[in-house]
Amino acid sequence: QVQLVESGGGAVQAGGSLRLSCAASGRTLSPYAMGWFRQAPGKGREFVAAITRSGDLTHYVDSVKGRFTISRDNAKNTVYLQMNSLKPEDTAVYFCAADDLFPALITGARAYWGQGTQVTVSS
């Protein structure tokens, strides 16, 4: 079982940037497609971004396209989410997820999860 630990969350003003990191322990991340989800207060968990095992394909929810970039460094066993032009509606707990199948990862139905990191964007 892969264990995921997110970091990099915090509080920023609208228009600012943050970079989230997701590090793995126990197993290498290279066999897994990786993704980020978020959950705002009072709402369900929402898919944000995903990247294939090799990093050759990415997928984003429409609301973050052009602002967020997912990337991975398999040598460092780490996945990143660069978030630019942040908006108050991006405020949420952000979760890292792993699944060996890219299509399944996007649903989040059977993924391994991290514990989450809080992102707060003020106007």
Side-chain angles (χ1 to χ4, degrees), residues 29-53:
L29 285 181
S30 56
Y32 298 96
M34 299 297 299
W36 289 93
F37 289 70
R38 65 187 179 186
Q39 187 166 16
K43 296 187 178 181
R45 194 170 294 188
E46 173 191 36
F47 167 78
V48 176
I51 189 167
T52 52
R53 285 176 284 184

Side-chain angles (χ1 to χ4, degrees), residues 25-96:
S25 62
R27 297 187 68 174
T28 176
L29 285 181
S30 56
Y32 298 96
M34 299 297 299
W36 289 93
F37 289 70
R38 65 187 179 186
Q39 187 166 16
K43 296 187 178 181
R45 194 170 294 188
E46 173 191 36
F47 167 78
V48 176
I51 189 167
T52 52
R53 285 176 284 184
S54 64
D56 62 342
L57 179 65
T58 57
H59 181 62
Y60 299 90
V61 68
D62 286 347
S63 60
V64 308
K65 285 180 180 177
R67 301 189 298 122
F68 291 11
T69 303
I70 188 171
S71 61
R72 66 190 298 162
D73 186 336
N74 285 340
K76 295 183 177 180
N77 228 25
T78 303
V79 177
Y80 305 97
L81 184 69
Q82 178 66 44
M83 304 186 296
N84 298 328
S85 302
L86 283 161
K87 303 176 181 180
E89 52 263 44
D90 294 318
T91 295
V93 177
Y94 283 71
F95 297 90
C96 179

